[in-house]
Amino acid sequence: MHVPDGFIDAPVSLATGAVAVAGVGIALRGARRELDDRTAPLAGLTAAFVFAAQMLNFPVASGTSGHLLGGTLAAILVGPYTGVLCVSVVLLMQALLFADGGLTALGVNITTMALVTVVTGYGLFRLLLRVLPMTRASVSGASFAAAVVSVPAAAVAFTLVYAAGGTADVSIGKVAAAMIGVHVLIGIGEALITAVTVSSVLAVRPDLVHGARGLMKPLELRTGGRNAAEPKPSRA
Amino acid sequence: MTTKRFFAVFLLVSLVLAGIVSYYASANPDGLEKVAEDKGISAKEKDHSLKDSPLGDYGVKGVDDARLSGGLSGVIGVGLVLLVGGGLFWTVRRRGPAAGPAAPEREAGAPAEPSRKG
């Protein structure tokens, strides 16, 4: 979904760039709380994994392909602030080294593929976990659902940016329909990769999954349906 | 699985995906490219200003074999993202002897009460 140079006019590119800078700035501050001696290397590896997975375009429909965006995945593994940074680093390296994603479009790409995917994907993930039982299956299911939604959300964000500053004279309604349609399909691929990866890490090292914090404690300490670790039962 | 071994496996998986599996990726345009072509957005596309860079378009300049060139660029990319990302995260992290409210809290809590109920 990398936007090349020339699609978005200069003022809107600049405005979206400002949004991206603000978002990355907030992420840098928030990531401090998520990163320690153990999770910092994990976050570096997560960024590397997202880069690798983004090379794997999978076919979706009639001559179209899609690839992982990775925002939801990174946010669940290492936290939302760090997740934004993971995808942003990937996008920056792709634009600077691999000529993938325009330099003037870097703000657009960070906004749609890092900020929007993390905010929608991780937000939905947390909401789902609030209503689901705290089990491994819930975490996997919630990652799937969150990832599915995050991709069309990014497509909507691109369409909005295009509506504001698109350089070609095209029907925004048609762009929106086409973008959302194909990205729902790509979202399913995103969800499969996300759920498989999250489940795999959960299977071997659940303690390393940021989004599954709290999963360990009730599982190990629950006695008779109540959390034995709590000093006093808050409510019957 | 030890943390070290887990990290090694995670890195290996990324290297295999970028270095080997990427060769089998679909070459079709991705969702945005396709929509841009179909709806006439692409007409305004400008060439990437760094399109002739040594790793441009996920290949290594000077390496003719497609499989080798693409795989090598993937491996280099994984390494560079790890280096830059890891460096950033290592700089930003909380310092101190594995301190911090999030992680050790549950680790300290878990072994305290080894209640084993079926």
Side-chain angles (χ1 to χ4, degrees), chain A residues 1 5 33 35 37 57 65 98 100 170 205 207, chain B residues 1 26 28-30 39 46 48 57-58 93-94 106:
Chain A
M1 196 194 247
D5 286 322
R33 275 176 278 131
L35 295 167
D37 285 358
N57 280 58
S65 73
F98 297 89
D100 191 12
V170 298
R205 289 298 299 269
D207 59 312
Chain B
M1 195 184 281
S26 168
N28 286 327
D30 76 11
K39 307 294 169 198
K46 290 189 184 122
H48 200 286
D57 216 15
Y58 300 92
R93 83 190 194 285
R94 278 194 314 268
R106 67 164 181 275

mmCIF file with all atom_site columns, all heavy atoms in Angstrom, chain A residues 1 5 33 35 37 57 65 98 100 170 205 207, chain B residues 1 26 28-30 39 46 48 57-58 93-94 106:
data_model
loop_
_atom_site.group_PDB
_atom_site.id
_atom_site.type_symbol
_atom_site.label_atom_id
_atom_site.label_alt_id
_atom_site.label_comp_id
_atom_site.label_asym_id
_atom_site.label_entity_id
_atom_site.label_seq_id
_atom_site.pdbx_PDB_ins_code
_atom_site.Cartn_x
_atom_site.Cartn_y
_atom_site.Cartn_z
_atom_site.occupancy
_atom_site.B_iso_or_equiv
_atom_site.pdbx_formal_charge
_atom_site.auth_seq_id
_atom_site.auth_comp_id
_atom_site.auth_asym_id
_atom_site.auth_atom_id
_atom_site.pdbx_PDB_model_num
ATOM 1   N N   . MET A 1 1   ? 0.815   -1.205  0.000   1.00 0.00 ? 1   MET A N   1
ATOM 2   C CA  . MET A 1 1   ? 0.000   0.000   0.000   1.00 0.00 ? 1   MET A CA  1
ATOM 3   C C   . MET A 1 1   ? 0.854   1.263   0.000   1.00 0.00 ? 1   MET A C   1
ATOM 4   O O   . MET A 1 1   ? 0.423   2.334   0.401   1.00 0.00 ? 1   MET A O   1
ATOM 5   C CB  . MET A 1 1   ? -0.864  -0.041  1.262   1.00 0.00 ? 1   MET A CB  1
ATOM 6   C CG  . MET A 1 1   ? -2.007  0.896   1.236   1.00 0.00 ? 1   MET A CG  1
ATOM 7   S SD  . MET A 1 1   ? -2.746  1.117   2.825   1.00 0.00 ? 1   MET A SD  1
ATOM 8   C CE  . MET A 1 1   ? -4.297  0.378   2.540   1.00 0.00 ? 1   MET A CE  1
ATOM 9   N N   . ASP A 1 5   ? 5.565   8.857   -5.047  1.00 0.00 ? 5   ASP A N   1
ATOM 10  C CA  . ASP A 1 5   ? 5.565   10.305  -5.232  1.00 0.00 ? 5   ASP A CA  1
ATOM 11  C C   . ASP A 1 5   ? 4.584   10.691  -6.336  1.00 0.00 ? 5   ASP A C   1
ATOM 12  O O   . ASP A 1 5   ? 4.404   9.950   -7.293  1.00 0.00 ? 5   ASP A O   1
ATOM 13  C CB  . ASP A 1 5   ? 6.974   10.780  -5.619  1.00 0.00 ? 5   ASP A CB  1
ATOM 14  C CG  . ASP A 1 5   ? 7.932   10.748  -4.439  1.00 0.00 ? 5   ASP A CG  1
ATOM 15  O OD1 . ASP A 1 5   ? 7.488   11.074  -3.324  1.00 0.00 ? 5   ASP A OD1 1
ATOM 16  O OD2 . ASP A 1 5   ? 9.091   10.382  -4.630  1.00 0.00 ? 5   ASP A OD2 1
ATOM 17  N N   . ARG A 1 33  ? 7.949   3.589   27.990  1.00 0.00 ? 33  ARG A N   1
ATOM 18  C CA  . ARG A 1 33  ? 7.295   2.777   29.016  1.00 0.00 ? 33  ARG A CA  1
ATOM 19  C C   . ARG A 1 33  ? 7.169   1.305   28.601  1.00 0.00 ? 33  ARG A C   1
ATOM 20  O O   . ARG A 1 33  ? 7.001   0.436   29.436  1.00 0.00 ? 33  ARG A O   1
ATOM 21  C CB  . ARG A 1 33  ? 5.905   3.336   29.328  1.00 0.00 ? 33  ARG A CB  1
ATOM 22  C CG  . ARG A 1 33  ? 5.944   4.450   30.370  1.00 0.00 ? 33  ARG A CG  1
ATOM 23  C CD  . ARG A 1 33  ? 4.560   5.048   30.586  1.00 0.00 ? 33  ARG A CD  1
ATOM 24  N NE  . ARG A 1 33  ? 4.274   6.040   29.553  1.00 0.00 ? 33  ARG A NE  1
ATOM 25  C CZ  . ARG A 1 33  ? 3.159   6.073   28.845  1.00 0.00 ? 33  ARG A CZ  1
ATOM 26  N NH1 . ARG A 1 33  ? 2.233   5.160   29.027  1.00 0.00 ? 33  ARG A NH1 1
ATOM 27  N NH2 . ARG A 1 33  ? 2.970   7.006   27.944  1.00 0.00 ? 33  ARG A NH2 1
ATOM 28  N N   . LEU A 1 35  ? 9.444   -0.331  26.594  1.00 0.00 ? 35  LEU A N   1
ATOM 29  C CA  . LEU A 1 35  ? 10.717  -0.966  26.255  1.00 0.00 ? 35  LEU A CA  1
ATOM 30  C C   . LEU A 1 35  ? 11.627  -1.071  27.462  1.00 0.00 ? 35  LEU A C   1
ATOM 31  O O   . LEU A 1 35  ? 11.834  -0.098  28.187  1.00 0.00 ? 35  LEU A O   1
ATOM 32  C CB  . LEU A 1 35  ? 11.412  -0.162  25.155  1.00 0.00 ? 35  LEU A CB  1
ATOM 33  C CG  . LEU A 1 35  ? 10.684  -0.145  23.805  1.00 0.00 ? 35  LEU A CG  1
ATOM 34  C CD1 . LEU A 1 35  ? 11.264  0.923   22.899  1.00 0.00 ? 35  LEU A CD1 1
ATOM 35  C CD2 . LEU A 1 35  ? 10.765  -1.506  23.147  1.00 0.00 ? 35  LEU A CD2 1
ATOM 36  N N   . ASP A 1 37  ? 15.184  -3.832  28.911  1.00 0.00 ? 37  ASP A N   1
ATOM 37  C CA  . ASP A 1 37  ? 16.313  -4.600  28.388  1.00 0.00 ? 37  ASP A CA  1
ATOM 38  C C   . ASP A 1 37  ? 15.879  -5.826  27.596  1.00 0.00 ? 37  ASP A C   1
ATOM 39  O O   . ASP A 1 37  ? 16.588  -6.302  26.725  1.00 0.00 ? 37  ASP A O   1
ATOM 40  C CB  . ASP A 1 37  ? 17.220  -5.051  29.542  1.00 0.00 ? 37  ASP A CB  1
ATOM 41  C CG  . ASP A 1 37  ? 18.053  -3.890  30.079  1.00 0.00 ? 37  ASP A CG  1
ATOM 42  O OD1 . ASP A 1 37  ? 17.923  -2.787  29.523  1.00 0.00 ? 37  ASP A OD1 1
ATOM 43  O OD2 . ASP A 1 37  ? 18.806  -4.090  31.040  1.00 0.00 ? 37  ASP A OD2 1
ATOM 44  N N   . ASN A 1 57  ? 4.286   -10.582 -1.036  1.00 0.00 ? 57  ASN A N   1
ATOM 45  C CA  . ASN A 1 57  ? 2.974   -10.252 -1.603  1.00 0.00 ? 57  ASN A CA  1
ATOM 46  C C   . ASN A 1 57  ? 2.214   -11.539 -1.906  1.00 0.00 ? 57  ASN A C   1
ATOM 47  O O   . ASN A 1 57  ? 2.743   -12.434 -2.546  1.00 0.00 ? 57  ASN A O   1
ATOM 48  C CB  . ASN A 1 57  ? 3.152   -9.434  -2.879  1.00 0.00 ? 57  ASN A CB  1
ATOM 49  C CG  . ASN A 1 57  ? 3.436   -7.981  -2.590  1.00 0.00 ? 57  ASN A CG  1
ATOM 50  O OD1 . ASN A 1 57  ? 4.413   -7.677  -1.905  1.00 0.00 ? 57  ASN A OD1 1
ATOM 51  N ND2 . ASN A 1 57  ? 2.595   -7.097  -3.076  1.00 0.00 ? 57  ASN A ND2 1
ATOM 52  N N   . SER A 1 65  ? -2.425  -8.175  -5.732  1.00 0.00 ? 65  SER A N   1
ATOM 53  C CA  . SER A 1 65  ? -1.771  -8.807  -4.593  1.00 0.00 ? 65  SER A CA  1
ATOM 54  C C   . SER A 1 65  ? -1.867  -7.890  -3.383  1.00 0.00 ? 65  SER A C   1
ATOM 55  O O   . SER A 1 65  ? -2.327  -6.753  -3.479  1.00 0.00 ? 65  SER A O   1
ATOM 56  C CB  . SER A 1 65  ? -0.305  -9.099  -4.917  1.00 0.00 ? 65  SER A CB  1
ATOM 57  O OG  . SER A 1 65  ? 0.444   -7.901  -4.939  1.00 0.00 ? 65  SER A OG  1
ATOM 58  N N   . PHE A 1 98  ? 15.115  1.133   -0.645  1.00 0.00 ? 98  PHE A N   1
ATOM 59  C CA  . PHE A 1 98  ? 14.551  0.217   -1.632  1.00 0.00 ? 98  PHE A CA  1
ATOM 60  C C   . PHE A 1 98  ? 13.645  0.922   -2.649  1.00 0.00 ? 98  PHE A C   1
ATOM 61  O O   . PHE A 1 98  ? 13.014  0.265   -3.459  1.00 0.00 ? 98  PHE A O   1
ATOM 62  C CB  . PHE A 1 98  ? 13.778  -0.900  -0.918  1.00 0.00 ? 98  PHE A CB  1
ATOM 63  C CG  . PHE A 1 98  ? 14.647  -1.754  -0.044  1.00 0.00 ? 98  PHE A CG  1
ATOM 64  C CD1 . PHE A 1 98  ? 14.876  -1.420  1.278   1.00 0.00 ? 98  PHE A CD1 1
ATOM 65  C CD2 . PHE A 1 98  ? 15.279  -2.872  -0.571  1.00 0.00 ? 98  PHE A CD2 1
ATOM 66  C CE1 . PHE A 1 98  ? 15.701  -2.200  2.081   1.00 0.00 ? 98  PHE A CE1 1
ATOM 67  C CE2 . PHE A 1 98  ? 16.106  -3.644  0.224   1.00 0.00 ? 98  PHE A CE2 1
ATOM 68  C CZ  . PHE A 1 98  ? 16.316  -3.312  1.548   1.00 0.00 ? 98  PHE A CZ  1
ATOM 69  N N   . ASP A 1 100 ? 10.861  2.151   -2.326  1.00 0.00 ? 100 ASP A N   1
ATOM 70  C CA  . ASP A 1 100 ? 9.481   1.684   -2.166  1.00 0.00 ? 100 ASP A CA  1
ATOM 71  C C   . ASP A 1 100 ? 8.734   2.698   -1.301  1.00 0.00 ? 100 ASP A C   1
ATOM 72  O O   . ASP A 1 100 ? 9.026   2.851   -0.118  1.00 0.00 ? 100 ASP A O   1
ATOM 73  C CB  . ASP A 1 100 ? 9.487   0.293   -1.496  1.00 0.00 ? 100 ASP A CB  1
ATOM 74  C CG  . ASP A 1 100 ? 8.116   -0.355  -1.536  1.00 0.00 ? 100 ASP A CG  1
ATOM 75  O OD1 . ASP A 1 100 ? 7.235   0.135   -2.262  1.00 0.00 ? 100 ASP A OD1 1
ATOM 76  O OD2 . ASP A 1 100 ? 7.936   -1.375  -0.839  1.00 0.00 ? 100 ASP A OD2 1
ATOM 77  N N   . VAL A 1 170 ? -10.329 12.353  -10.262 1.00 0.00 ? 170 VAL A N   1
ATOM 78  C CA  . VAL A 1 170 ? -11.057 11.078  -10.306 1.00 0.00 ? 170 VAL A CA  1
ATOM 79  C C   . VAL A 1 170 ? -12.179 11.102  -9.280  1.00 0.00 ? 170 VAL A C   1
ATOM 80  O O   . VAL A 1 170 ? -12.192 11.915  -8.353  1.00 0.00 ? 170 VAL A O   1
ATOM 81  C CB  . VAL A 1 170 ? -10.125 9.885   -10.021 1.00 0.00 ? 170 VAL A CB  1
ATOM 82  C CG1 . VAL A 1 170 ? -9.040  9.779   -11.074 1.00 0.00 ? 170 VAL A CG1 1
ATOM 83  C CG2 . VAL A 1 170 ? -9.511  9.999   -8.642  1.00 0.00 ? 170 VAL A CG2 1
ATOM 84  N N   . ARG A 1 205 ? 6.440   -18.413 24.167  1.00 0.00 ? 205 ARG A N   1
ATOM 85  C CA  . ARG A 1 205 ? 6.804   -17.403 25.175  1.00 0.00 ? 205 ARG A CA  1
ATOM 86  C C   . ARG A 1 205 ? 5.666   -16.387 25.355  1.00 0.00 ? 205 ARG A C   1
ATOM 87  O O   . ARG A 1 205 ? 5.785   -15.236 24.950  1.00 0.00 ? 205 ARG A O   1
ATOM 88  C CB  . ARG A 1 205 ? 8.097   -16.682 24.763  1.00 0.00 ? 205 ARG A CB  1
ATOM 89  C CG  . ARG A 1 205 ? 9.353   -17.530 24.861  1.00 0.00 ? 205 ARG A CG  1
ATOM 90  C CD  . ARG A 1 205 ? 9.639   -17.979 26.294  1.00 0.00 ? 205 ARG A CD  1
ATOM 91  N NE  . ARG A 1 205 ? 9.843   -16.838 27.182  1.00 0.00 ? 205 ARG A NE  1
ATOM 92  C CZ  . ARG A 1 205 ? 11.028  -16.301 27.416  1.00 0.00 ? 205 ARG A CZ  1
ATOM 93  N NH1 . ARG A 1 205 ? 12.114  -16.787 26.862  1.00 0.00 ? 205 ARG A NH1 1
ATOM 94  N NH2 . ARG A 1 205 ? 11.151  -15.282 28.246  1.00 0.00 ? 205 ARG A NH2 1
ATOM 95  N N   . ASP A 1 207 ? 4.882   -14.725 27.779  1.00 0.00 ? 207 ASP A N   1
ATOM 96  C CA  . ASP A 1 207 ? 5.301   -13.559 28.563  1.00 0.00 ? 207 ASP A CA  1
ATOM 97  C C   . ASP A 1 207 ? 5.886   -12.461 27.680  1.00 0.00 ? 207 ASP A C   1
ATOM 98  O O   . ASP A 1 207 ? 6.005   -11.320 28.114  1.00 0.00 ? 207 ASP A O   1
ATOM 99  C CB  . ASP A 1 207 ? 6.341   -13.978 29.606  1.00 0.00 ? 207 ASP A CB  1
ATOM 100 C CG  . ASP A 1 207 ? 7.567   -14.611 28.953  1.00 0.00 ? 207 ASP A CG  1
ATOM 101 O OD1 . ASP A 1 207 ? 7.387   -15.504 28.097  1.00 0.00 ? 207 ASP A OD1 1
ATOM 102 O OD2 . ASP A 1 207 ? 8.697   -14.203 29.281  1.00 0.00 ? 207 ASP A OD2 1
ATOM 103 N N   . MET B 2 1   ? 11.462  -22.235 26.169  1.00 0.00 ? 1   MET B N   1
ATOM 104 C CA  . MET B 2 1   ? 12.493  -21.711 25.262  1.00 0.00 ? 1   MET B CA  1
ATOM 105 C C   . MET B 2 1   ? 13.163  -20.512 25.914  1.00 0.00 ? 1   MET B C   1
ATOM 106 O O   . MET B 2 1   ? 12.484  -19.611 26.397  1.00 0.00 ? 1   MET B O   1
ATOM 107 C CB  . MET B 2 1   ? 11.836  -21.300 23.937  1.00 0.00 ? 1   MET B CB  1
ATOM 108 C CG  . MET B 2 1   ? 12.826  -21.089 22.818  1.00 0.00 ? 1   MET B CG  1
ATOM 109 S SD  . MET B 2 1   ? 12.060  -20.490 21.294  1.00 0.00 ? 1   MET B SD  1
ATOM 110 C CE  . MET B 2 1   ? 11.377  -21.998 20.610  1.00 0.00 ? 1   MET B CE  1
ATOM 111 N N   . SER B 2 26  ? 3.960   -12.884 -4.957  1.00 0.00 ? 26  SER B N   1
ATOM 112 C CA  . SER B 2 26  ? 3.220   -12.472 -6.146  1.00 0.00 ? 26  SER B CA  1
ATOM 113 C C   . SER B 2 26  ? 3.818   -11.198 -6.729  1.00 0.00 ? 26  SER B C   1
ATOM 114 O O   . SER B 2 26  ? 4.141   -10.260 -5.996  1.00 0.00 ? 26  SER B O   1
ATOM 115 C CB  . SER B 2 26  ? 1.753   -12.236 -5.791  1.00 0.00 ? 26  SER B CB  1
ATOM 116 O OG  . SER B 2 26  ? 1.106   -11.588 -6.861  1.00 0.00 ? 26  SER B OG  1
ATOM 117 N N   . ASN B 2 28  ? 2.171   -9.453  -8.945  1.00 0.00 ? 28  ASN B N   1
ATOM 118 C CA  . ASN B 2 28  ? 1.047   -8.609  -9.367  1.00 0.00 ? 28  ASN B CA  1
ATOM 119 C C   . ASN B 2 28  ? 1.038   -7.294  -8.586  1.00 0.00 ? 28  ASN B C   1
ATOM 120 O O   . ASN B 2 28  ? 1.550   -7.237  -7.470  1.00 0.00 ? 28  ASN B O   1
ATOM 121 C CB  . ASN B 2 28  ? -0.273  -9.339  -9.138  1.00 0.00 ? 28  ASN B CB  1
ATOM 122 C CG  . ASN B 2 28  ? -0.486  -10.443 -10.166 1.00 0.00 ? 28  ASN B CG  1
ATOM 123 O OD1 . ASN B 2 28  ? -0.070  -10.317 -11.313 1.00 0.00 ? 28  ASN B OD1 1
ATOM 124 N ND2 . ASN B 2 28  ? -1.121  -11.530 -9.744  1.00 0.00 ? 28  ASN B ND2 1
ATOM 125 N N   . PRO B 2 29  ? 0.449   -6.249  -9.157  1.00 0.00 ? 29  PRO B N   1
ATOM 126 C CA  . PRO B 2 29  ? 0.360   -4.985  -8.427  1.00 0.00 ? 29  PRO B CA  1
ATOM 127 C C   . PRO B 2 29  ? -0.425  -5.169  -7.129  1.00 0.00 ? 29  PRO B C   1
ATOM 128 O O   . PRO B 2 29  ? -1.342  -5.999  -7.083  1.00 0.00 ? 29  PRO B O   1
ATOM 129 C CB  . PRO B 2 29  ? -0.393  -4.063  -9.397  1.00 0.00 ? 29  PRO B CB  1
ATOM 130 C CG  . PRO B 2 29  ? -1.082  -4.971  -10.350 1.00 0.00 ? 29  PRO B CG  1
ATOM 131 C CD  . PRO B 2 29  ? -0.206  -6.174  -10.476 1.00 0.00 ? 29  PRO B CD  1
ATOM 132 N N   . ASP B 2 30  ? -0.049  -4.440  -6.087  1.00 0.00 ? 30  ASP B N   1
ATOM 133 C CA  . ASP B 2 30  ? -0.798  -4.580  -4.829  1.00 0.00 ? 30  ASP B CA  1
ATOM 134 C C   . ASP B 2 30  ? -2.093  -3.765  -4.899  1.00 0.00 ? 30  ASP B C   1
ATOM 135 O O   . ASP B 2 30  ? -2.367  -3.103  -5.907  1.00 0.00 ? 30  ASP B O   1
ATOM 136 C CB  . ASP B 2 30  ? 0.076   -4.223  -3.619  1.00 0.00 ? 30  ASP B CB  1
ATOM 137 C CG  . ASP B 2 30  ? 0.296   -2.733  -3.439  1.00 0.00 ? 30  ASP B CG  1
ATOM 138 O OD1 . ASP B 2 30  ? -0.377  -1.929  -4.109  1.00 0.00 ? 30  ASP B OD1 1
ATOM 139 O OD2 . ASP B 2 30  ? 1.153   -2.367  -2.616  1.00 0.00 ? 30  ASP B OD2 1
ATOM 140 N N   . LYS B 2 39  ? -8.236  3.540   -11.772 1.00 0.00 ? 39  LYS B N   1
ATOM 141 C CA  . LYS B 2 39  ? -9.005  4.779   -11.618 1.00 0.00 ? 39  LYS B CA  1
ATOM 142 C C   . LYS B 2 39  ? -8.273  6.000   -12.182 1.00 0.00 ? 39  LYS B C   1
ATOM 143 O O   . LYS B 2 39  ? -8.729  7.124   -12.018 1.00 0.00 ? 39  LYS B O   1
ATOM 144 C CB  . LYS B 2 39  ? -9.329  5.028   -10.135 1.00 0.00 ? 39  LYS B CB  1
ATOM 145 C CG  . LYS B 2 39  ? -9.990  3.858   -9.433  1.00 0.00 ? 39  LYS B CG  1
ATOM 146 C CD  . LYS B 2 39  ? -11.377 3.585   -9.983  1.00 0.00 ? 39  LYS B CD  1
ATOM 147 C CE  . LYS B 2 39  ? -11.889 2.245   -9.445  1.00 0.00 ? 39  LYS B CE  1
ATOM 148 N NZ  . LYS B 2 39  ? -13.000 1.710   -10.229 1.00 0.00 ? 39  LYS B NZ  1
ATOM 149 N N   . LYS B 2 46  ? 5.129   9.891   -10.011 1.00 0.00 ? 46  LYS B N   1
ATOM 150 C CA  . LYS B 2 46  ? 6.485   10.329  -10.365 1.00 0.00 ? 46  LYS B CA  1
ATOM 151 C C   . LYS B 2 46  ? 7.465   9.245   -9.970  1.00 0.00 ? 46  LYS B C   1
ATOM 152 O O   . LYS B 2 46  ? 7.254   8.527   -8.997  1.00 0.00 ? 46  LYS B O   1
ATOM 153 C CB  . LYS B 2 46  ? 6.829   11.625  -9.614  1.00 0.00 ? 46  LYS B CB  1
ATOM 154 C CG  . LYS B 2 46  ? 6.041   12.822  -10.115 1.00 0.00 ? 46  LYS B CG  1
ATOM 155 C CD  . LYS B 2 46  ? 6.578   14.116  -9.499  1.00 0.00 ? 46  LYS B CD  1
ATOM 156 C CE  . LYS B 2 46  ? 5.744   15.311  -9.905  1.00 0.00 ? 46  LYS B CE  1
ATOM 157 N NZ  . LYS B 2 46  ? 5.187   16.037  -8.752  1.00 0.00 ? 46  LYS B NZ  1
ATOM 158 N N   . HIS B 2 48  ? 10.513  7.395   -8.356  1.00 0.00 ? 48  HIS B N   1
ATOM 159 C CA  . HIS B 2 48  ? 11.150  7.553   -7.051  1.00 0.00 ? 48  HIS B CA  1
ATOM 160 C C   . HIS B 2 48  ? 12.511  8.212   -7.242  1.00 0.00 ? 48  HIS B C   1
ATOM 161 O O   . HIS B 2 48  ? 13.266  7.830   -8.135  1.00 0.00 ? 48  HIS B O   1
ATOM 162 C CB  . HIS B 2 48  ? 11.320  6.183   -6.397  1.00 0.00 ? 48  HIS B CB  1
ATOM 163 C CG  . HIS B 2 48  ? 11.520  6.260   -4.923  1.00 0.00 ? 48  HIS B CG  1
ATOM 164 N ND1 . HIS B 2 48  ? 12.698  6.679   -4.358  1.00 0.00 ? 48  HIS B ND1 1
ATOM 165 C CD2 . HIS B 2 48  ? 10.687  5.986   -3.894  1.00 0.00 ? 48  HIS B CD2 1
ATOM 166 C CE1 . HIS B 2 48  ? 12.573  6.647   -3.038  1.00 0.00 ? 48  HIS B CE1 1
ATOM 167 N NE2 . HIS B 2 48  ? 11.362  6.238   -2.739  1.00 0.00 ? 48  HIS B NE2 1
ATOM 168 N N   . ASP B 2 57  ? 14.194  -1.160  -5.626  1.00 0.00 ? 57  ASP B N   1
ATOM 169 C CA  . ASP B 2 57  ? 13.230  -2.163  -6.072  1.00 0.00 ? 57  ASP B CA  1
ATOM 170 C C   . ASP B 2 57  ? 13.581  -3.574  -5.601  1.00 0.00 ? 57  ASP B C   1
ATOM 171 O O   . ASP B 2 57  ? 13.341  -4.558  -6.295  1.00 0.00 ? 57  ASP B O   1
ATOM 172 C CB  . ASP B 2 57  ? 13.096  -2.132  -7.604  1.00 0.00 ? 57  ASP B CB  1
ATOM 173 C CG  . ASP B 2 57  ? 11.674  -2.416  -8.029  1.00 0.00 ? 57  ASP B CG  1
ATOM 174 O OD1 . ASP B 2 57  ? 10.786  -2.346  -7.158  1.00 0.00 ? 57  ASP B OD1 1
ATOM 175 O OD2 . ASP B 2 57  ? 11.454  -2.719  -9.212  1.00 0.00 ? 57  ASP B OD2 1
ATOM 176 N N   . TYR B 2 58  ? 14.137  -3.682  -4.404  1.00 0.00 ? 58  TYR B N   1
ATOM 177 C CA  . TYR B 2 58  ? 14.405  -4.974  -3.773  1.00 0.00 ? 58  TYR B CA  1
ATOM 178 C C   . TYR B 2 58  ? 15.296  -5.884  -4.616  1.00 0.00 ? 58  TYR B C   1
ATOM 179 O O   . TYR B 2 58  ? 15.017  -7.055  -4.827  1.00 0.00 ? 58  TYR B O   1
ATOM 180 C CB  . TYR B 2 58  ? 13.104  -5.692  -3.410  1.00 0.00 ? 58  TYR B CB  1
ATOM 181 C CG  . TYR B 2 58  ? 12.271  -4.895  -2.440  1.00 0.00 ? 58  TYR B CG  1
ATOM 182 C CD1 . TYR B 2 58  ? 11.300  -4.023  -2.884  1.00 0.00 ? 58  TYR B CD1 1
ATOM 183 C CD2 . TYR B 2 58  ? 12.505  -4.987  -1.076  1.00 0.00 ? 58  TYR B CD2 1
ATOM 184 C CE1 . TYR B 2 58  ? 10.556  -3.263  -2.000  1.00 0.00 ? 58  TYR B CE1 1
ATOM 185 C CE2 . TYR B 2 58  ? 11.774  -4.237  -0.171  1.00 0.00 ? 58  TYR B CE2 1
ATOM 186 C CZ  . TYR B 2 58  ? 10.792  -3.377  -0.650  1.00 0.00 ? 58  TYR B CZ  1
ATOM 187 O OH  . TYR B 2 58  ? 10.060  -2.624  0.226   1.00 0.00 ? 58  TYR B OH  1
ATOM 188 N N   . ARG B 2 93  ? 14.769  2.725   25.492  1.00 0.00 ? 93  ARG B N   1
ATOM 189 C CA  . ARG B 2 93  ? 14.284  1.846   26.562  1.00 0.00 ? 93  ARG B CA  1
ATOM 190 C C   . ARG B 2 93  ? 14.488  2.412   27.967  1.00 0.00 ? 93  ARG B C   1
ATOM 191 O O   . ARG B 2 93  ? 15.323  3.281   28.183  1.00 0.00 ? 93  ARG B O   1
ATOM 192 C CB  . ARG B 2 93  ? 14.976  0.487   26.479  1.00 0.00 ? 93  ARG B CB  1
ATOM 193 C CG  . ARG B 2 93  ? 16.345  0.464   27.143  1.00 0.00 ? 93  ARG B CG  1
ATOM 194 C CD  . ARG B 2 93  ? 17.098  -0.793  26.843  1.00 0.00 ? 93  ARG B CD  1
ATOM 195 N NE  . ARG B 2 93  ? 18.236  -0.963  27.729  1.00 0.00 ? 93  ARG B NE  1
ATOM 196 C CZ  . ARG B 2 93  ? 19.381  -0.287  27.636  1.00 0.00 ? 93  ARG B CZ  1
ATOM 197 N NH1 . ARG B 2 93  ? 19.529  0.640   26.705  1.00 0.00 ? 93  ARG B NH1 1
ATOM 198 N NH2 . ARG B 2 93  ? 20.359  -0.506  28.485  1.00 0.00 ? 93  ARG B NH2 1
ATOM 199 N N   . ARG B 2 94  ? 13.728  1.871   28.898  1.00 0.00 ? 94  ARG B N   1
ATOM 200 C CA  . ARG B 2 94  ? 13.920  2.179   30.320  1.00 0.00 ? 94  ARG B CA  1
ATOM 201 C C   . ARG B 2 94  ? 15.223  1.559   30.766  1.00 0.00 ? 94  ARG B C   1
ATOM 202 O O   . ARG B 2 94  ? 15.482  0.393   30.490  1.00 0.00 ? 94  ARG B O   1
ATOM 203 C CB  . ARG B 2 94  ? 12.810  1.548   31.162  1.00 0.00 ? 94  ARG B CB  1
ATOM 204 C CG  . ARG B 2 94  ? 11.536  2.286   31.234  1.00 0.00 ? 94  ARG B CG  1
ATOM 205 C CD  . ARG B 2 94  ? 10.689  1.724   32.363  1.00 0.00 ? 94  ARG B CD  1
ATOM 206 N NE  . ARG B 2 94  ? 10.664  0.259   32.358  1.00 0.00 ? 94  ARG B NE  1
ATOM 207 C CZ  . ARG B 2 94  ? 9.745   -0.453  31.725  1.00 0.00 ? 94  ARG B CZ  1
ATOM 208 N NH1 . ARG B 2 94  ? 8.791   0.143   31.070  1.00 0.00 ? 94  ARG B NH1 1
ATOM 209 N NH2 . ARG B 2 94  ? 9.765   -1.770  31.766  1.00 0.00 ? 94  ARG B NH2 1
ATOM 210 N N   . ARG B 2 106 ? 4.522   -9.208  37.232  1.00 0.00 ? 106 ARG B N   1
ATOM 211 C CA  . ARG B 2 106 ? 3.860   -10.502 37.114  1.00 0.00 ? 106 ARG B CA  1
ATOM 212 C C   . ARG B 2 106 ? 4.856   -11.633 37.319  1.00 0.00 ? 106 ARG B C   1
ATOM 213 O O   . ARG B 2 106 ? 4.515   -12.699 37.786  1.00 0.00 ? 106 ARG B O   1
ATOM 214 C CB  . ARG B 2 106 ? 3.168   -10.624 35.762  1.00 0.00 ? 106 ARG B CB  1
ATOM 215 C CG  . ARG B 2 106 ? 4.105   -10.683 34.608  1.00 0.00 ? 106 ARG B CG  1
ATOM 216 C CD  . ARG B 2 106 ? 3.409   -11.173 33.365  1.00 0.00 ? 106 ARG B CD  1
ATOM 217 N NE  . ARG B 2 106 ? 4.373   -11.230 32.279  1.00 0.00 ? 106 ARG B NE  1
ATOM 218 C CZ  . ARG B 2 106 ? 4.692   -10.193 31.514  1.00 0.00 ? 106 ARG B CZ  1
ATOM 219 N NH1 . ARG B 2 106 ? 4.099   -9.045  31.711  1.00 0.00 ? 106 ARG B NH1 1
ATOM 220 N NH2 . ARG B 2 106 ? 5.591   -10.309 30.576  1.00 0.00 ? 106 ARG B NH2 1
#
